[in-house]
Amino acid sequence: MVTIARAEAAEVWRWLEEVPDPEIPVISVVDLGIVRDVHWAGDDLVVTITPTYSGCPATEVIAQDIRAALAARGLERVRLETKLSPAWTTDWLSDAGRAKLSGYGIAPPAHKVVDASRIMKPAIACPRCGSARTAKLAGFGSTPCKALYRCDECREPFDYFKPH
Amino acid sequence: MSAAQLELLLRLGDNALVLAQRLSEWCGKGPVLEEDLATTNTALDLIGQARLWFGYAGELEGKGRDEDALAYRRDAHQFRNVLLVEQPNGHYGDTIARQFYFDAFHLPLLRALSASSNARIAEIAAKSAKEAAYHLERSTDWVIRLGDGTEESHRRMQQSVDDLWMYTGEFFDADAVDREMTAAGIAPDPAALREPWLAMVRKVFAEATLAVPGEAWMQRGGKQGVHTEQLGFLLAEMQYLQRAYPDAKW
């Protein structure tokens, strides 16, 4: 019987906070709300993740990155479980994650997802100059999770992380 | 597992896959860069949804068919998508009209399926509905922009919605599969989705200054595997690699 020095779940969470999202490397998979649970099942570490958008190509990369990050900490027996419900929502974005998005030039979701029929209606502040004089150019940007906007004040285009 | 449940999952997965394949044909040649991206992102969402439906269908069937086998190893008569989604892209107005008719049907369908008595169907539908809401928002915006645009865009958009109208009737036809699924609380009665769909079409067309097409002969058969000639050409391209090199891996 080999005794394994088991990392506390809280410590694993901290390690996962260092795993960047492959599409938006300024925020981590924890900031994004992709990691839903971490617990030990016997000698296996079980990490539960949820995909953001169904077709997001980053999902598989994220799983690989999580495995690699944990392997680098000496954790080899890692089981990744995918959970669809409750469906991922931008309401799970951490405050730190929102601030990092803004600093990176991506406007964070303007509100919580309360009424899905009003999703794109509020004025979105420009992450560069803060002006609310902005206009949507397209409902989808460089990835499905973002829309493309233009600031009519500073004239810069920017991405908007849509409430989802 | 009932045969009807497998049919239901194939209908859902095939609608998403076939429309995604059509939208992917715009990749690199959208009318403007933003639309090129938006079209292919919509396709990406739909491919993701198709994978979820097929993954579950393959598990339920229990014959070892995975999502790839279902996507690449079935021929046209084994596909269960509605005829609308296999229609060619045409010009951008045609693509937008097809997308709007489908989105206005897809979103309420997915929302109703979110309350399915089958928990797995409910969770896939709830996730997909959030994506479909953005698809509908976009196609609605474009129907209005092109319908209430220039004289030419209005004329062409009206022609597009008229041309595709005959493919919308089968959304709401219930057959034995639908009746069994409705009775089991797994899926909504398709007929019950018709009025909300029509109300949405009327509202958006009014804003777009477009006339809602009147009573017409409706094409049907896609849900039962009787397709237009368009699907065979689409599959020939989509399935080429797996047909030519079976089991080829990326």
Side-chain angles (χ1 to χ4, degrees):
Chain A
M1 184 80 189
V2 181
T3 309
I4 299 172
R6 294 203 326 193
E8 290 295 325
E11 194 170 9
V12 175
W13 276 101
R14 278 194 297 278
W15 295 341
L16 293 176
E17 275 169 22
E18 292 165 16
V19 178
D21 175 75
E23 296 275 5
I24 313 168
V26 72
I27 55 176
S28 78
V29 294
V30 173
D31 289 330
L32 260 178
I34 290 171
V35 180
R36 302 311 303 155
D37 185 50
V38 173
H39 71 268
W40 287 94
D43 290 337
D44 289 349
L45 179 73
V46 182
V47 179
T48 306
I49 57 175
T50 191
T52 54
Y53 281 59
S54 302
C56 183
T59 307
E60 281 161 34
V61 179
I62 287 169
Q64 284 170 18
D65 290 351
I66 288 176
R67 280 187 189 285
L70 296 177
R73 302 283 185 169
L75 293 175
E76 297 289 352
R77 295 189 53 170
V78 174
R79 210 161 73 219
L80 283 182
E81 289 183 353
T82 302
K83 191 167 176 258
L84 288 187
S85 180
W88 177 81
T89 166
T90 47
D91 292 356
W92 294 341
L93 266 173
S94 67
D95 288 342
R98 296 174 59 88
K100 286 183 216 166
L101 278 179
S102 194
Y104 190 60
I106 299 174
H111 60 88
K112 298 277 181 185
V113 182
V114 182
D115 177 2
S117 66
R118 306 280 309 162
I119 37 189
M120 300 289 276
K121 304 307 181 224
I124 307 305
C126 170
R128 296 176 202 280
C129 74
S131 169
R133 284 212 308 129
T134 60
K136 184 173 82 174
L137 296 179
F140 295 80
S142 53
T143 60
C145 57
K146 287 176 273 171
L148 189 61
Y149 273 69
R150 177 188 61 219
C151 176
D152 289 332
E153 197 72 45
C154 70
R155 312 300 297 171
E156 286 287 336
F158 65 92
D159 272 335
Y160 172 50
F161 205 104
K162 295 179 281 186
H164 188 81
Chain B
M1 191 263 325
S2 75
Q5 196 160 320
L6 181 61
E7 286 288 308
L8 172 71
L9 292 171
L10 291 178
R11 288 174 182 184
L12 293 164
D14 289 344
N15 281 344
L17 178 67
V18 172
L19 184 54
Q21 176 67 17
R22 278 291 182 225
L23 294 175
S24 305
E25 293 170 9
W26 277 109
C27 185
K29 44 185 181 181
V32 289
L33 180 60
E34 290 82 356
E35 280 309 296
D36 198 296
L37 290 170
T39 306
T40 43
N41 271 310
T42 304
L44 205 53
D45 281 344
L46 290 169
I47 288 172
Q49 294 172 16
R51 291 182 64 183
L52 294 170
W53 294 124
F54 288 158
Y56 183 36
E59 276 174 43
L60 266 185
E61 188 190 39
K63 292 183 182 167
R65 288 203 288 183
D66 62 5
E67 59 191 40
D68 285 339
L70 288 169
Y72 297 125
R73 303 281 181 88
R74 284 181 300 146
D75 211 342
H77 68 281
Q78 295 162 313
F79 272 74
R80 297 291 182 261
N81 56 281
V82 290
L83 301 172
L84 177 76
V85 296
E86 71 204 36
Q87 298 312 307
N89 286 340
H91 60 66
Y92 210 64
D94 294 326
T95 292
I96 290 297
R98 184 186 63 201
Q99 194 67 34
F100 173 70
Y101 281 151
F102 180 74
D103 293 340
F105 159 69
H106 199 210
L107 179 60
L109 171 64
L110 290 171
R111 288 198 171 140
L113 286 169
S114 304
S116 173
S117 62
N118 178 310
R120 183 84 173 267
I121 289 177
E123 70 178 18
I124 297 173
K127 180 160 192 59
S128 305
K130 298 173 74 155
E131 293 154 6
Y134 278 113
H135 301 169
L136 178 60
E137 180 173 277
R138 172 173 165 268
S139 55
T140 296
D141 283 352
W142 274 101
V143 166
I144 294 168
R145 188 160 163 185
L146 294 174
D148 189 19
T150 64
E151 204 172 303
E152 184 183 354
S153 76
H154 173 84
R155 178 179 57 77
R156 295 178 74 172
M157 199 64 219
Q158 184 68 56
Q159 190 67 51
S160 302
V161 298
D162 289 349
D163 289 347
L164 292 170
W165 182 251
M166 66 179 165
Y167 298 111
T168 59
E170 71 171 333
F171 296 172
F172 312 109
D173 284 345
D175 64 3
V177 169
D178 292 307
R179 283 190 289 274
E180 187 180 330
M181 291 296 96
T182 305
I186 292 174
D189 176 5
L193 298 172
R194 186 162 187 272
E195 275 311 312
W197 179 83
L198 256 183
M200 179 77 185
V201 170
R202 287 199 190 104
K203 177 170 154 272
V204 172
F205 282 14
E207 200 174 334
T209 70
L210 294 168
V212 178
E215 287 292 312
W217 167 256
M218 288 291 174
Q219 302 288 343
R220 35 184 59 97
K223 288 161 68 173
Q224 293 80 29
V226 183
H227 290 276
T228 63
E229 70 274 26
Q230 309 294 346
L231 184 63
F233 293 103
L234 179 147
L235 295 181
E237 185 169 306
M238 186 181 83
Q239 298 179 331
Y240 167 77
L241 197 107
Q242 283 298 325
R243 297 288 190 191
Y245 306 95
D247 298 323
K249 292 262 181 277
W250 180 251

